[in-house]
Amino acid sequence: MPPAPAPSDADLILAVLERDDRAAFAEIVRRHQSQVRTVLRRLTRGDMGLADDLAQETFILAWRNLRHFRFEARFSTWIYRIAFNAWQSEARKRHEVLLDADDDERPALEVAAPEPGVDVASRLDLERAMTVLSDGERAAIAACYYADLSHEEAAQALGLPLGTVKTHILRAKAKLKARLASPEDDA
Amino acid sequence: MNEFRNDDWLDRQLRADARRLIEDQAFSERVLAALPSPAPRANPWFKPALVFGSTAVGGLLANLLAPIGPMFIEGATQLAHLRGFTPSVAALLAMTSVLVVAGWVLATED
């Protein structure tokens, strides 16, 4: 007898809504924690402690507001939106966030110690390069590459005009390219 | 052309970094532990019964204490003795219907 297929996100959400099923919510958290924490680590310029606090806040807010989830959207899109809002609220508290600003370079934070994985050097280079992006540029890159949102979804999640998101992406990529050496260039 | 190669390389780097898995390391347990305690489930009929009952009692008291109150008492008496559809009976039935509808709407409102 083949094993039962894993329940979809929608099945798990229904279990939470109908039966207050915490085990189902735990499965949702396990499925999405890695991506949500990765996005928040990039948004917080590698501040892993703050990123994990915000990720925890994100999932708690998701739990509280799950009845407002509309099933026509992907759950991941919805939870990234909560994560971006949590990050923006935190940054506002620190008077830091300037999503519309063109250029707000700040001193880079210390980059986190490397974890086991492929091509650690490239990743560290990327992490360092990301720290020089403005809040808006970093948010746009996090939304479109790390959260895998379309430009339109990113604009909605970040509360920015579509054109601003596209501009941030272009500028961010130009800055990253300037900071990172392309392997093809070295060849 | 070189520009495109650079872009491809950067896109690959970003997407590879995005796909990197972060081990749970008890993160899920911390989230679960921080969730609010489950609220005790109230009887689903409690709120409608409370709203409907208080509307009925309030409406009855208001009608009995209003200047028109004696008319309702007279209507109730006539209705009890099956004395036909008098104006007092009509007034009593109309007011009762209004109370029932208002109470029902309030009770079933989410």
Side-chain angles (χ1 to χ4, degrees), chain A residues 22 34 42 145-146 177 183, chain B residues 3 9 11 17 20 22 36:
Chain A
R22 288 174 182 238
S34 177
R42 291 295 164 267
Y145 284 90
Y146 289 84
K177 274 190 290 187
Chain B
E3 181 78 5
W9 173 80
D11 280 0
D17 191 38
R20 189 169 56 90
I22 297 178

Side-chain angles (χ1 to χ4, degrees), chain A residues 20 22 30 33-34 37-38 42 56 60 63 115 122-123 145-146 173 177 180-185, chain B residues 2-3 5-7 9-11 13 17-18 20-24 27-28 32 34-38 41:
Chain A
D20 200 26
R22 288 174 182 238
R30 274 191 289 273
Q33 61 86 20
S34 177
R37 289 163 81 195
T38 301
R42 291 295 164 267
Q56 182 170 322
I60 292 170
W63 165 268
E115 293 167 15
S122 298
R123 183 161 59 72
Y145 284 90
Y146 289 84
K173 287 173 77 172
K177 274 190 290 187
L180 298 167
S182 162
E184 281 88 348
D185 290 344
Chain B
N2 195 36
E3 181 78 5
R5 282 211 310 272
N6 275 344
D7 254 3
W9 173 80
L10 183 57
D11 280 0
Q13 277 286 100
D17 191 38
R20 189 169 56 90
L21 285 179
I22 297 178
E23 293 296 325
D24 189 279
F27 175 81
S28 303
L32 268 281
L35 290 182
S37 310
R41 297 226 164 195

Side-chain angles (χ1 to χ4, degrees), chain A:
Chain A
M1 192 171 155
S8 66
D9 282 350
D11 294 334
L12 294 168
I13 291 165
L14 283 174
V16 173
L17 292 176
E18 288 170 1
R19 302 190 298 276
D20 200 26
D21 187 339
R22 288 174 182 238
F25 190 71
E27 178 59 25
I28 293 174
V29 176
R30 274 191 289 273
R31 278 186 193 181
H32 295 278
Q33 61 86 20
S34 177
Q35 282 179 293
V36 169
R37 289 163 81 195
T38 301
V39 167
L40 285 165
R41 283 182 187 188
R42 291 295 164 267
L43 287 172
T44 56
R45 289 188 288 169
D47 186 338
M48 292 165 68
L50 177 59
D52 278 6
D53 286 348
L54 290 174
Q56 182 170 322
E57 188 184 329
T58 297
F59 283 108
I60 292 170
L61 283 171
W63 165 268
R64 286 193 172 135
N65 293 290
L66 208 53
R67 66 184 181 283
H68 299 305
F69 174 67
R70 298 283 168 260
F71 286 84
E72 58 263 27
R74 282 185 295 164
F75 177 75
S76 55
T77 308
W78 185 70
I79 200 150
Y80 288 136
R81 194 169 299 160
I82 298 175
F84 283 119
N85 285 339
W87 168 68
Q88 282 176 299
S89 299
E90 174 64 26
R92 248 182 244 118
K93 277 186 219 159
R94 299 170 182 220
H95 306 288
E96 275 184 2
V97 78
L98 289 165
L99 287 186
D100 274 327
D102 283 341
D103 203 4
D104 64 337
E105 291 203 11
R106 301 174 206 292
L109 292 182
E110 283 296 310
V111 171
E115 293 167 15
V118 183
D119 205 1
V120 171
S122 298
R123 183 161 59 72
L124 283 179
D125 286 344
L126 185 61
E127 284 187 13
R128 286 199 189 92
M130 291 273 284
T131 61
V132 303
L133 302 182
S134 71
D135 282 337
E137 290 160 356
R138 214 168 46 255
I141 288 285
C144 294
Y145 284 90
Y146 289 84
D148 200 26
L149 304 182
S150 66
H151 287 176
E152 288 79 7
E153 287 172 327
Q156 205 182 354
L158 297 171
L160 291 175
L162 179 59
T164 305
V165 170
K166 289 180 177 175
T167 305
H168 280 330
I169 293 280
L170 285 175
R171 285 187 181 161
K173 287 173 77 172
K175 284 184 186 178
L176 290 173
K177 274 190 290 187
R179 293 269 171 171
L180 298 167
S182 162
E184 281 88 348
D185 290 344
D186 296 337

